[in-house]
Amino acid sequence: MAFFKRLRADIAAAKANDPAARNKFEILLTYSGVHALSWHRLANRLYKMRLKLAARIVSQHAKFKTGIEIHPAAEIAAGVFIDHGAGVVIGETASVGEGTVLYHGATLGGTGKDTGKRHPTVGRYCVISAGAKILGNINIGDYAKIGAGAVVLKDVPPHATAVGVPARIILKDVKEN
């Protein structure tokens, strides 16, 4: 998918998910989540070209500018929205599906010095609330919701809501969205 097509999808996601968003131009100029995702797309391309140092430099520049840290190897679909992104961390082997919303302080992290896939896979149209920590090689199903401050260490099925420390499933909606 071309850079500008993904950028349009990211802006549209911001417009759809933020009632304070007035117009696309404002989002493009002022939304740190959109900026971080744009920088990430460049870093990810450099990473895939095996220009790993250049990719890390770009990602660190983006972290300095936005307060959002995304490893260049992370896979992030178009149309993801990072709202009030300060403190968001997305690890190297994490994957985030389209339409997902991440709030400030959310972490998609690892649990140690394992090798291989060690970060979460987040499905499509999920909500990762403020301060939530999703740790390890686990799956968050499509349309799942993770409550604020939750620490998720096990898979969360599609359409479920997980809260608490450690997180537990409190609601599983079987309806298709």
Side-chain angles (χ1 to χ4, degrees):
M1 185 181 272
F3 174 83
F4 289 107
K5 192 171 185 179
R6 288 181 183 198
L7 178 60
R8 281 192 297 275
D10 294 340
I11 291 169
K15 183 85 169 100
N17 287 291
D18 187 356
R22 293 189 304 226
N23 60 62
K24 293 176 182 178
F25 189 63
E26 176 185 49
I27 293 166
L28 176 65
L29 292 179
T30 65
Y31 276 53
S32 60
V34 171
H35 297 167
L37 290 169
S38 295
W39 283 109
H40 170 69
R41 305 221 193 280
L42 171 61
N44 185 258
R45 177 164 297 237
L46 291 169
Y47 195 87
K48 287 178 178 177
M49 294 170 58
R50 297 179 186 257
L51 298 171
K52 293 182 179 180
L53 177 59
R56 291 303 298 260
I57 290 169
V58 169
S59 72
Q60 291 301 298
H61 172 78
K63 180 177 89 169
F64 176 75
K65 289 291 204 179
T66 67
I68 298 167
E69 183 171 358
I70 306 173
H71 191 283
E75 293 295 329
I76 301 176
V80 167
F81 178 47
I82 301 173
D83 193 12
H84 301 288
V88 168
V89 176
I90 301 175
E92 178 180 17
T93 61
S95 176
V96 181
E98 70 176 294
T100 290
V101 178
L102 294 106
Y103 289 94
H104 64 279
T107 298
L108 305 180
T111 57
K113 296 187 181 219
D114 297 336
T115 58
K117 176 80 169 130
R118 61 189 186 281
H119 296 94
T121 298
V122 177
R124 299 170 44 231
Y125 302 100
C126 295
V127 175
I128 312 299
S129 298
K133 310 302 177 208
I134 304 173
L135 305 174
N137 180 15
I138 61 174
N139 293 301
I140 307 300
D142 293 347
Y143 299 95
K145 295 179 179 87
I146 308 300
V151 177
V152 183
L153 302 171
K154 296 180 181 177
D155 290 354
V156 175
H159 301 277
T161 300
V163 299
V165 180
R168 66 191 187 292
I169 307 302
I170 61 162
L171 178 66
K172 185 162 185 214
D173 183 7
V174 295
K175 291 187 275 183
E176 286 294 319
N177 288 339

